[in-house]
Amino acid sequence: MKLSSGAPARAALALVLWTSSPAAATPAATWPTADSITNGLARVESVREIKSVQRTFAQLAPHGRWGDMAALFADDGVFRWGAGKPGANILDNSDATFLTGPAAIEAWLRTDAGNMDGLKPGSLHALINDQPVISLSADGRSAKGRWHSLKFLGDGAGKTRIEGGIMQNEYVLTASAEHGNRWRIKLLRYYPLFAGDYKNGWENVGGNSLPIVPFHYTADGAGETILSPYQPHNGSKVVSRHTALSIDELKYRVTKLNDEDEVRNLQHICGHYVDRRMWPDVIDLFASDGVVSVDGRGSAPGAAGVQSALDRMGPEGLTRGVLNDHPIYQTLVEISPDGLEATSRGLEIGMIGDSIAKTAEWRFCVFRHKYIKDAASGIWKIKELAYTRIMVANYTSGWAFGGALPPKAAPLAPPPFLDVLGHISDVARKPTDWQPPWREDSNSTETLLADMQRRLSRSAAFDETENVSSAYGYYADDIRCTDFATLHADKGFKMSPGVGWYLSPQRIAQACIARYGDRPAAARASIPFHWRVQPIILVSHDGRSATVRVRNLQMGTSRGGGSAGFNGGMYHDQVVLEEKAGVVRRKLWCLTIDEFYWQSAGWAGGWAGVNSTALGRRQGGIGGYVADVAVADPTMRLREVGFNGGPPPTVRWPDIQRMWWSFRNPVTGRVPESYWPGCVPCRTARPDWQLTANGYQEPATGPTIVTARAQGTNVTVTVVGGPDEPVTGLWGYAGER
Ligand SMILES: *[C@@H]1O[C@H](CO)[C@@H](O)[C@H](O)[C@H]1NC(C)=O
Ligand SMILES: *[C@@H]1O[C@H](CO)[C@@H](O)[C@H](O)[C@H]1NC(C)=O
Ligand SMILES: *[C@@H]1O[C@H](CO)[C@@H](O)[C@H](O)[C@H]1NC(C)=O
Ligand SMILES: *[C@@H]1O[C@H](CO)[C@@H](O)[C@H](O)[C@H]1NC(C)=O
Ligand SMILES: *[C@@H]1O[C@H](CO)[C@@H](O)[C@H](O)[C@H]1NC(C)=O
Ligand SMILES: *[C@@H]1O[C@H](CO)[C@@H](O)[C@H](O)[C@H]1NC(C)=O
């Protein structure tokens, strides 16, 4: 194989991804082969299946499916669920339930739930497991994962319970005649951190200060890529661990991964539009016969039907005091065998209300949405948004007595679960009626494989980005300044809220230490959790850079209670693949937080109990440690006005702060009113910090839509792209969707 054939850019990419150490291999060894792509594919599929196992575990819980949950464990799987009793040591799980094997685990789950099983009339058993950091072993047969865990429980007869903490789990790839190769839970180890009932809210477990829950990863390791450590070069050959799949099968499965990313983004974007009641943007996402259905009752198909379903939620746009947040958790995506349809499933928890009218409500919904791929454009659209409400409760009275939904005679049938487990290293299922959805620019096998490798690296980038994003969240919870600084690239920059952006890991760490002090790993009286959920990850064409938007859902806990409430903000970040001395790591390039869009007045008051003057705000300035770009910098005026530390007038909940978007509508390409693509300080203050000024591609901010119209013998071709995006031709833009 020669490097001289094929596009140089791809060859360079292949080099970056396939060279894991300085000593590795001559360029000749770096061309991907069907063998090496098969191995990389197995790793990406494994990371996804591990997430799917844990998310399935959580999705089964609201329906009392204890046996199915236990069946996700290996035969010798271990379950350690700390109780957090007063005086108990959280870290050694000294008061933990300690069980081995699915049968014992099933029995415990059933007993622990008791009447709060989601089956008894008025009961609730909502479990959230999200924000994963997944580490796959070098041999690809075991893995570790860190997750946030939160349970909202009630028996419908007056009793409620809330339990939150961190899971440090282990997974193992098992093979059995019955199930084939599949990932299972080897160890579920739960560290309880906060608990309480609905009436009083939660506080630190056992009234203690909270220790730092040990991490299975290091700050530098969190950027390890999924593909690169897996390069068992031997001379000029990549040694295979899986039998190479056929090229058709590889294309099929890589395309499936790419499609999954598109669908996940589509759903998560839709959620953000709904929260801001951006109805035209929501409607744009639907197929022409799309519907919205709640508890089985659907709208009329088409835009008018969707519009009327949305209108029932309220008028377009948010007015002062309106909160319409619906965080989306643990989304699973299944692509149909023909690659043209998709289903997603997960849990959405509506936190809605009106703080002027003083109303507030919880709305727990299981969603199971459907999507179709437009065959001509390759763009995914929503066919059906389908919600099943499992609990609706007024914030004041809560769900202790079953909430506001009419009582049900029989337990709700769960919306069908997805078939997303047990697909690792399947025997090749050769698709017969399936065409590769991308246009091949060459029929040379080498170029084809290089392109397949590129496409695979884009899906790997999706998971690597979620990994780094989640790792950041956990370090932010514990205010581990040096660790979260280390997650950044050497030329990376991070906003210190209310102050400005600091360039380089050293300065990021210093800014944090100047503000919060250099904290040892000691127990804390309170923790402000940063749930970074509902990610939208837009990966560049070459897979080396990505733009990521995640929520910041803060929920605090403290000793002595009384203060646990929620805050809502939004992160706008970018990540890159950084190569240093031959080592490749996924690193944060920039990190910006817009906060707060809303805040609650402790647990008791909730988000409707807030008077704007009551909220304290941090003011700018970190003891003279001057930012490289201040939030108050005149060049940042337009972008930062109203935010914490930004130019006045400051906008405080329940006033509605403008929300910024770094991408366009993923279906129509519509440019949002408040559009700020790329890294936040780059547009006006520091163009030299842009990805494109540093050897990276800027991920496309939306589809490039090309339409042709014939009038007589004249043909008019229209191309719609982002305002700042060069449209240089079809390939590379339209080809992405
Ligand atoms: C690497 O190649 C050498 C010589 O061809 C062979 O003896 C050895 O077993 C190979 N190692 C692996 C891991 O395949
Ligand atoms: C809860 O319901 C009661 C009775 O309908 C109502 O007065 C109260 O305002 C509601 N509370 C909230 C926060 O919506
Ligand atoms: C594909 O291969 C054929 C036969 O070798 C050749 O004539 C043709 O130009 C190739 N097509 C492309 C797009 O490279
Ligand atoms: C996440 O980080 C860990 C290291 O801490 C690394 O081993 C793993 O490969 C990363 N996983 C993904 C999916 O990027
Ligand atoms: C908000 O203002 C109202 C009316 O002035 C007052 O009754 C209430 O206690 C205030 N709430 C908070 C959380 O300060
Ligand atoms: C085609 O374009 C020519 C030149 O711009 C114009 O004169 C003519 O009217 C157009 N014809 C049609 C059918 O639009």
Coordinates of all heavy atoms in Angstrom, one line a residue, residues 18-89:
W18 N -3.7 6.6 13.6 CA -3.2 5.2 13.6 C -1.8 5.1 14.1 O -1.2 4.1 14.1 CB -3.3 4.6 12.2 CG -4.8 4.4 12.0 CD1 -5.7 5.2 11.4 CD2 -5.6 3.2 12.4 NE1 -6.9 4.7 11.4 CE2 -6.9 3.5 12.0 CE3 -5.3 2.0 13.0 CZ2 -7.9 2.6 12.2 CZ3 -6.3 1.1 13.2 CH2 -7.6 1.4 12.9
T19 N -1.3 6.2 14.6 CA 0.1 6.2 15.2 C -0.1 6.4 16.7 O -0.4 7.5 17.1 CB 0.9 7.2 14.5 OG1 0.8 7.1 13.1 CG2 2.4 7.1 15.0
S20 N 0.1 5.4 17.4 CA -0.2 5.6 18.9 C 1.1 5.9 19.6 O 1.0 6.5 20.7 CB -0.8 4.3 19.4 OG 0.0 3.2 19.2
S21 N 2.2 5.6 19.1 CA 3.4 6.0 19.9 C 4.5 6.4 18.8 O 4.4 6.0 17.7 CB 3.9 4.8 20.7 OG 4.4 3.9 19.8
P22 N 5.4 7.2 19.3 CA 6.4 7.7 18.4 C 7.1 6.6 17.7 O 7.6 6.7 16.5 CB 7.4 8.5 19.2 CG 6.8 8.6 20.6 CD 5.7 7.7 20.7
A23 N 7.3 5.5 18.4 CA 8.0 4.3 17.8 C 7.2 3.6 16.8 O 7.7 2.8 16.0 CB 8.4 3.4 18.9
A24 N 5.9 3.8 16.7 CA 5.1 3.0 15.9 C 5.3 3.3 14.4 O 5.3 4.4 13.9 CB 3.6 3.2 16.2
A25 N 5.6 2.2 13.7 CA 5.3 2.1 12.3 C 5.7 3.2 11.4 O 5.6 4.4 11.7 CB 3.8 1.9 12.2
T26 N 6.1 2.8 10.2 CA 6.3 3.7 9.1 C 5.0 4.1 8.5 O 4.0 3.4 8.7 CB 7.1 3.0 8.1 OG1 6.4 1.8 7.8 CG2 8.5 2.5 8.6
P27 N 4.9 5.1 7.7 CA 3.7 5.5 7.1 C 3.0 4.3 6.4 O 1.8 4.2 6.4 CB 4.0 6.6 6.1 CG 5.3 7.2 6.7 CD 6.0 6.1 7.4
A28 N 3.8 3.4 5.8 CA 3.2 2.3 5.1 C 2.3 1.5 6.0 O 1.3 0.9 5.5 CB 4.3 1.4 4.5
A29 N 2.5 1.5 7.3 CA 1.7 0.7 8.1 C 0.4 1.4 8.6 O -0.4 0.9 9.3 CB 2.5 0.3 9.4
T30 N 0.3 2.7 8.2 CA -0.8 3.4 8.8 C -2.1 3.5 7.9 O -3.1 4.0 8.4 CB -0.4 4.9 9.0 OG1 0.0 5.5 7.7 CG2 0.9 4.9 9.9
W31 N -2.0 2.9 6.7 CA -3.2 2.8 6.0 C -4.2 1.9 6.7 O -3.8 0.8 7.1 CB -3.0 2.3 4.6 CG -2.7 3.4 3.6 CD1 -1.5 3.7 3.1 CD2 -3.6 4.3 3.1 NE1 -1.6 4.8 2.3 CE2 -2.9 5.2 2.2 CE3 -5.0 4.5 3.2 CZ2 -3.5 6.2 1.5 CZ3 -5.6 5.6 2.6 CH2 -4.8 6.4 1.7
P32 N -5.4 2.4 6.9 CA -6.4 1.4 7.5 C -6.6 0.3 6.5 O -6.6 0.4 5.3 CB -7.6 2.3 7.7 CG -7.5 3.5 6.8 CD -6.0 3.7 6.6
T33 N -6.9 -0.9 7.2 CA -7.2 -2.1 6.4 C -8.6 -2.5 6.9 O -9.1 -2.0 7.9 CB -6.2 -3.2 6.7 OG1 -6.3 -3.5 8.1 CG2 -4.8 -2.8 6.3
A34 N -9.2 -3.5 6.2 CA -10.5 -4.0 6.7 C -10.3 -4.5 8.1 O -11.2 -4.4 8.9 CB -11.0 -5.0 5.7
D35 N -9.1 -5.2 8.3 CA -8.8 -5.7 9.7 C -8.9 -4.6 10.7 O -9.5 -4.7 11.8 CB -7.4 -6.2 9.7 CG -7.4 -7.7 9.4 OD1 -8.4 -8.2 8.8 OD2 -6.4 -8.3 9.7
S36 N -8.1 -3.5 10.5 CA -8.0 -2.5 11.5 C -9.3 -1.7 11.7 O -9.6 -1.4 12.8 CB -6.8 -1.5 11.1 OG -7.2 -0.8 10.0
I37 N -10.0 -1.6 10.6 CA -11.3 -0.9 10.8 C -12.3 -1.7 11.5 O -13.0 -1.3 12.4 CB -11.9 -0.5 9.4 CG1 -11.0 0.6 8.8 CG2 -13.3 0.1 9.5 CD1 -11.4 1.0 7.4
T38 N -12.2 -3.0 11.3 CA -13.1 -4.0 12.0 C -12.8 -3.8 13.5 O -13.7 -3.8 14.4 CB -12.9 -5.4 11.6 OG1 -13.2 -5.5 10.2 CG2 -13.7 -6.4 12.4
N39 N -11.5 -3.8 13.9 CA -11.1 -3.7 15.3 C -11.6 -2.3 15.9 O -12.1 -2.3 17.0 CB -9.6 -3.8 15.4 CG -9.2 -5.3 15.2 OD1 -9.9 -6.2 15.6 ND2 -8.1 -5.5 14.6
G40 N -11.4 -1.3 15.1 CA -11.8 0.0 15.6 C -13.3 0.1 15.8 O -13.9 0.6 16.8
L41 N -14.0 -0.5 14.8 CA -15.5 -0.5 14.9 C -16.0 -1.3 16.1 O -16.9 -0.8 16.8 CB -16.0 -1.2 13.6 CG -17.5 -1.4 13.5 CD1 -18.2 -0.1 13.3 CD2 -17.8 -2.4 12.4
A42 N -15.3 -2.4 16.4 CA -15.7 -3.2 17.6 C -15.5 -2.3 18.8 O -16.3 -2.4 19.8 CB -14.9 -4.5 17.7
R43 N -14.5 -1.5 18.9 CA -14.3 -0.7 20.1 C -15.4 0.4 20.2 O -15.9 0.6 21.3 CB -12.9 0.0 20.0 CG -11.8 -1.0 20.3 CD -10.4 -0.4 20.3 NE -10.2 0.4 21.5 CZ -9.9 -0.1 22.7 NH1 -9.8 -1.3 22.9 NH2 -9.8 0.8 23.8
V44 N -15.7 1.1 19.1 CA -16.7 2.1 19.2 C -18.1 1.5 19.5 O -18.8 1.9 20.3 CB -16.8 2.9 17.8 CG1 -17.9 4.0 17.9 CG2 -15.4 3.6 17.5
E45 N -18.4 0.3 18.8 CA -19.6 -0.3 19.1 C -19.7 -0.8 20.6 O -20.7 -0.7 21.2 CB -19.8 -1.6 18.2 CG -20.2 -1.2 16.8 CD -20.4 -2.4 15.9 OE1 -20.0 -3.5 16.3 OE2 -21.0 -2.2 14.8
S46 N -18.5 -1.2 21.1 CA -18.5 -1.6 22.5 C -18.8 -0.5 23.5 O -19.6 -0.6 24.4 CB -17.1 -2.2 22.9 OG -17.0 -3.5 22.3
V47 N -18.1 0.7 23.2 CA -18.4 1.8 24.1 C -19.9 2.2 24.1 O -20.5 2.4 25.1 CB -17.5 3.0 23.6 CG1 -18.0 4.3 24.3 CG2 -16.0 2.8 23.9
R48 N -20.4 2.1 22.9 CA -21.9 2.4 22.8 C -22.7 1.4 23.5 O -23.7 1.7 24.1 CB -22.3 2.6 21.4 CG -21.6 3.8 20.8 CD -22.2 4.3 19.6 NE -21.4 5.5 19.2 CZ -21.8 6.3 18.2 NH1 -22.9 6.1 17.6 NH2 -21.0 7.3 18.0
E49 N -22.4 0.1 23.3 CA -23.2 -0.9 24.0 C -23.1 -0.8 25.5 O -24.1 -1.0 26.2 CB -22.9 -2.3 23.5 CG -23.9 -3.3 24.1 CD -23.9 -4.7 23.4 OE1 -24.0 -4.7 22.2 OE2 -23.9 -5.7 24.2
I50 N -21.9 -0.5 26.0 CA -21.8 -0.3 27.4 C -22.7 0.8 27.9 O -23.4 0.6 28.9 CB -20.3 0.0 27.8 CG1 -19.5 -1.3 27.5 CG2 -20.2 0.4 29.2 CD1 -18.0 -1.0 27.3
K51 N -22.7 1.9 27.2 CA -23.7 3.0 27.6 C -25.1 2.5 27.5 O -25.9 2.8 28.4 CB -23.5 4.2 26.7 CG -22.1 4.9 26.9 CD -22.0 6.1 26.0 CE -20.7 6.7 26.0 NZ -20.5 7.8 25.0
S52 N -25.4 1.7 26.5 CA -26.7 1.2 26.3 C -27.2 0.3 27.4 O -28.3 0.3 27.8 CB -26.9 0.5 24.9 OG -26.7 1.4 23.9
V53 N -26.2 -0.5 27.9 CA -26.5 -1.4 29.0 C -27.0 -0.6 30.2 O -28.0 -0.9 30.8 CB -25.3 -2.3 29.4 CG1 -25.5 -3.0 30.7 CG2 -25.1 -3.4 28.3
Q54 N -26.2 0.4 30.6 CA -26.5 1.2 31.8 C -27.8 2.0 31.5 O -28.6 2.1 32.4 CB -25.3 2.1 32.1 CG -25.4 2.6 33.5 CD -25.3 1.6 34.6 OE1 -24.5 0.7 34.5 NE2 -26.3 1.6 35.5
R55 N -27.9 2.5 30.3 CA -29.2 3.3 30.1 C -30.4 2.4 30.0 O -31.5 2.8 30.4 CB -29.0 4.1 28.8 CG -28.0 5.2 28.9 CD -27.7 5.9 27.6 NE -26.9 7.1 27.9 CZ -26.0 7.6 27.0 NH1 -25.8 7.1 25.8 NH2 -25.4 8.7 27.4
T56 N -30.2 1.2 29.6 CA -31.3 0.2 29.6 C -31.7 -0.1 31.0 O -32.9 -0.2 31.4 CB -31.0 -1.0 28.8 OG1 -30.7 -0.7 27.4 CG2 -32.1 -2.1 28.8
F57 N -30.7 -0.3 31.8 CA -30.9 -0.6 33.2 C -31.8 0.5 33.8 O -32.9 0.3 34.5 CB -29.6 -0.6 34.0 CG -29.6 -0.9 35.4 CD1 -29.7 -2.2 35.9 CD2 -29.6 0.2 36.4 CE1 -29.8 -2.5 37.3 CE2 -29.6 -0.1 37.7 CZ -29.7 -1.4 38.2
A58 N -31.5 1.8 33.5 CA -32.3 2.9 34.1 C -33.6 2.9 33.4 O -34.6 3.3 34.1 CB -31.5 4.2 33.8
Q59 N -33.7 2.6 32.1 CA -35.0 2.7 31.5 C -36.0 1.6 31.9 O -37.2 1.8 31.8 CB -34.8 2.6 30.0 CG -34.2 3.9 29.4 CD -34.3 4.0 27.9 OE1 -35.1 3.4 27.3 NE2 -33.4 4.8 27.3
L60 N -35.5 0.5 32.4 CA -36.4 -0.6 32.9 C -37.0 -0.2 34.2 O -38.1 -0.7 34.5 CB -35.6 -1.9 33.0 CG -35.2 -2.5 31.7 CD1 -34.1 -3.5 31.9 CD2 -36.4 -3.2 31.0
A61 N -36.3 0.6 35.0 CA -36.7 0.8 36.4 C -38.1 1.4 36.6 O -38.9 0.9 37.4 CB -35.7 1.7 37.1
P62 N -38.5 2.4 35.8 CA -39.9 3.0 36.0 C -41.0 2.0 35.8 O -42.1 2.2 36.2 CB -40.0 4.1 35.0 CG -38.6 4.4 34.5 CD -37.8 3.1 34.7
H63 N -40.7 0.8 35.2 CA -41.8 -0.1 34.9 C -41.6 -1.4 35.7 O -42.2 -2.4 35.4 CB -41.7 -0.5 33.4 CG -41.6 0.7 32.5 ND1 -42.7 1.6 32.3 CD2 -40.6 1.3 31.9 CE1 -42.3 2.6 31.5 NE2 -41.0 2.4 31.3
G64 N -40.8 -1.3 36.8 CA -40.8 -2.5 37.7 C -40.2 -3.7 37.1 O -40.5 -4.8 37.5
R65 N -39.3 -3.6 36.1 CA -38.8 -4.7 35.4 C -37.5 -5.2 36.1 O -36.4 -5.2 35.5 CB -38.5 -4.4 33.9 CG -39.8 -3.9 33.2 CD -40.7 -5.1 32.9 NE -40.1 -5.8 31.7 CZ -40.5 -5.6 30.5 NH1 -41.4 -4.8 30.2 NH2 -39.9 -6.3 29.5
W66 N -37.6 -5.6 37.4 CA -36.4 -6.0 38.2 C -35.7 -7.2 37.6 O -34.4 -7.2 37.6 CB -36.8 -6.3 39.6 CG -37.9 -5.4 40.1 CD1 -39.1 -5.7 40.6 CD2 -37.9 -3.9 40.2 NE1 -39.9 -4.6 40.9 CE2 -39.1 -3.5 40.7 CE3 -36.9 -3.0 39.9 CZ2 -39.4 -2.2 40.9 CZ3 -37.2 -1.6 40.1 CH2 -38.5 -1.2 40.6
G67 N -36.4 -8.1 37.0 CA -35.7 -9.3 36.5 C -34.9 -8.9 35.3 O -33.8 -9.4 35.1
D68 N -35.5 -8.1 34.4 CA -34.7 -7.7 33.2 C -33.5 -6.8 33.6 O -32.5 -6.8 32.9 CB -35.6 -6.9 32.3 CG -36.7 -7.8 31.7 OD1 -36.4 -9.0 31.4 OD2 -37.9 -7.3 31.5
M69 N -33.7 -6.0 34.6 CA -32.5 -5.2 35.1 C -31.4 -6.1 35.6 O -30.2 -5.9 35.3 CB -33.0 -4.2 36.2 CG -33.9 -3.1 35.7 SD -34.7 -2.2 37.1 CE -33.3 -1.1 37.6
A70 N -31.8 -7.1 36.4 CA -30.8 -8.0 37.0 C -30.1 -8.8 35.9 O -29.0 -9.2 36.0 CB -31.5 -8.9 38.0
A71 N -30.9 -9.1 34.8 CA -30.3 -9.9 33.7 C -29.2 -9.2 32.9 O -28.5 -9.8 32.1 CB -31.4 -10.3 32.7
L72 N -29.1 -7.9 33.2 CA -28.0 -7.1 32.5 C -26.7 -7.3 33.2 O -25.6 -6.9 32.8 CB -28.4 -5.6 32.6 CG -29.6 -5.2 31.8 CD1 -30.0 -3.8 32.0 CD2 -29.4 -5.4 30.3
F73 N -26.7 -8.0 34.4 CA -25.5 -8.4 35.1 C -24.9 -9.7 34.5 O -25.6 -10.6 34.1 CB -25.8 -8.5 36.6 CG -25.9 -7.2 37.3 CD1 -27.1 -6.5 37.2 CD2 -24.9 -6.7 38.1 CE1 -27.3 -5.3 37.9 CE2 -25.0 -5.5 38.8 CZ -26.2 -4.8 38.7
A74 N -23.6 -9.8 34.6 CA -22.9 -11.0 34.3 C -23.4 -12.1 35.4 O -23.9 -11.7 36.4 CB -21.4 -10.9 34.4
D75 N -23.2 -13.3 35.1 CA -23.7 -14.4 36.0 C -23.0 -14.2 37.4 O -23.6 -14.5 38.4 CB -23.3 -15.8 35.4 CG -24.2 -16.1 34.2 OD1 -25.1 -15.3 33.9 OD2 -23.8 -17.0 33.5
D76 N -21.8 -13.7 37.4 CA -21.1 -13.5 38.7 C -21.0 -12.0 39.0 O -20.2 -11.5 39.7 CB -19.7 -14.1 38.7 CG -18.8 -13.5 37.5 OD1 -19.4 -12.8 36.7 OD2 -17.6 -13.8 37.5
G77 N -21.9 -11.2 38.3 CA -22.0 -9.8 38.5 C -22.2 -9.4 40.0 O -23.0 -10.1 40.7
V78 N -21.6 -8.3 40.4 CA -21.6 -7.9 41.8 C -22.4 -6.5 41.9 O -22.2 -5.7 41.1 CB -20.2 -7.8 42.4 CG1 -20.2 -7.1 43.8 CG2 -19.6 -9.2 42.5
F79 N -23.1 -6.4 42.9 CA -24.0 -5.2 43.2 C -23.6 -4.7 44.5 O -23.8 -5.4 45.5 CB -25.4 -5.7 43.1 CG -26.5 -4.6 43.3 CD1 -26.9 -3.8 42.2 CD2 -27.1 -4.4 44.5 CE1 -27.8 -2.9 42.3 CE2 -28.0 -3.4 44.6 CZ -28.4 -2.7 43.6
R80 N -23.2 -3.5 44.6 CA -22.9 -2.8 45.9 C -23.6 -1.5 46.0 O -23.2 -0.6 45.3 CB -21.4 -2.6 46.1 CG -20.5 -3.8 46.1 CD -19.1 -3.5 46.5 NE -19.0 -3.2 47.9 CZ -17.9 -3.3 48.6 NH1 -16.8 -3.7 48.0 NH2 -17.8 -3.0 49.8
W81 N -24.6 -1.5 46.7 CA -25.4 -0.2 46.8 C -25.3 0.4 48.2 O -25.8 -0.2 49.2 CB -26.9 -0.6 46.5 CG -27.7 0.6 46.2 CD1 -28.4 1.4 47.2 CD2 -28.0 1.2 45.0 NE1 -29.0 2.4 46.6 CE2 -28.8 2.4 45.2 CE3 -27.7 1.0 43.7 CZ2 -29.3 3.2 44.2 CZ3 -28.1 1.8 42.7 CH2 -28.9 2.9 42.9
G82 N -24.5 1.4 48.3 CA -24.3 2.0 49.6 C -25.6 2.7 50.1 O -26.4 3.2 49.3
A83 N -25.8 2.6 51.4 CA -27.0 3.2 52.0 C -26.8 4.6 52.5 O -27.8 5.4 52.6 CB -27.6 2.3 53.1
G84 N -25.6 4.9 52.8 CA -25.3 6.3 53.3 C -25.9 6.5 54.7 O -26.4 7.6 55.0
K85 N -25.9 5.5 55.5 CA -26.4 5.7 56.9 C -25.5 6.7 57.7 O -24.3 6.8 57.4 CB -26.4 4.3 57.6 CG -27.4 3.4 57.0 CD -27.8 2.3 57.9 CE -28.7 1.3 57.3 NZ -28.0 0.0 56.9
P86 N -26.1 7.4 58.6 CA -25.3 8.3 59.4 C -24.1 7.6 60.0 O -24.2 6.4 60.5 CB -26.2 8.7 60.6 CG -27.6 8.5 60.0 CD -27.5 7.3 59.1
G87 N -22.9 8.2 59.9 CA -21.7 7.6 60.4 C -21.0 6.6 59.5 O -19.9 6.3 59.8
A88 N -21.7 6.1 58.5 CA -21.1 5.1 57.6 C -20.1 5.8 56.7 O -20.2 7.0 56.4 CB -22.1 4.4 56.8
N89 N -19.1 5.0 56.4 CA -18.0 5.5 55.4 C -18.5 5.3 54.0 O -18.7 4.2 53.5 CB -16.7 4.8 55.7 CG -15.6 5.3 54.8 OD1 -15.9 5.9 53.8 ND2 -14.4 4.9 55.1

